[in-house]
Amino acid sequence: MGKEDFGNIYVENSPQAYVQRLVPVDYGHYHDRYCEMINEELEKFAPKDRGMSAVELGSSYGNTTLAYKFGLNWERAVESWMQDDKPLQKKWDLNVVAVDISENALSYGSRRGIFDSCIVHDFANPPSNELAMAIENADFMTSIMTLFYIPTERWLEACYKFIANSESLPLVCWTAVSI
């Protein structure tokens, strides 16, 4: 059995095709594990006296952001996409910089209020100055299910930039899962 090609689900103006493609392959299981893990860590890590900044590499339509910024499990994340007229309630005071190659996915996440700012970036290239600055100033950086989209050397460059300028122990979360 070959690997799945999910590239076509990232070019739509909304995440409906994304949801329809990922529900049958039990993507929700991975989302829910990440949601549990990241929210447990944020309970320990998040400063109580200020908001935080996060950089999410390979953010797509914001499913990972829905897990950590809003605390939504997969079922609730899908519901929020299907009923995108309902306002989202933040769990954490986070300013999220979403990074992805898909302008449509980033536009949706911005319009929906999932992302606070966006950087269109092709991970075949080294980080731009804008991306490097966002990474260097972030409280945490995350990426999930991006193994096929972000080459290892680009991920390592981002980690180095993130860790090199951190005054305190940073939180980095990367999940490498193959579907």
Side-chain angles (χ1 to χ4, degrees), residues 34 37-38 140-144 155 171-175:
Y34 175 83
M37 177 189 68
I38 195 67
F140 85 92
M141 182 173 68
T142 189
S143 186
I144 183 172
W155 172 250
L171 176 62
V172 177
C173 184
W174 185 38
T175 305

Side-chain angles (χ1 to χ4, degrees), residues 64-170:
T64 304
T65 318
L66 290 170
Y68 65 84
K69 184 176 179 178
F70 301 96
L72 301 183
N73 65 17
W74 180 248
E75 184 179 326
R76 290 180 56 216
V78 169
E79 184 180 296
S80 77
W81 279 330
M82 297 302 141
Q83 301 172 2
D84 67 2
D85 58 328
K86 290 188 176 179
L88 293 165
Q89 202 63 30
K90 283 185 184 182
K91 178 174 180 147
W92 300 102
D93 184 10
L94 277 165
N95 182 300
V96 176
V97 178
V99 185
D100 203 279
I101 194 170
S102 173
E103 291 182 46
N104 288 343
L106 292 173
S107 292
Y108 172 84
S110 277
R111 189 172 58 252
R112 183 70 176 95
I114 298 169
F115 308 138
D116 298 292
S117 60
C118 299
I119 299 173
V120 176
H121 183 73
D122 181 348
F123 291 101
N125 301 314
S128 63
N129 288 338
E130 179 185 22
L131 178 53
M133 289 297 294
I135 291 169
E136 290 170 6
N137 293 314
D139 292 300
F140 85 92
M141 182 173 68
T142 189
S143 186
I144 183 172
M145 305 291 275
T146 57
L147 187 60
F148 300 114
Y149 307 109
I150 302 178
T152 302
E153 62 272 17
R154 298 299 175 235
W155 172 250
L156 292 174
E157 288 170 351
C159 285
Y160 176 75
K161 288 186 180 311
F162 180 62
I163 293 168
N165 289 329
S166 294
E167 294 176 10
S168 61
L169 184 63

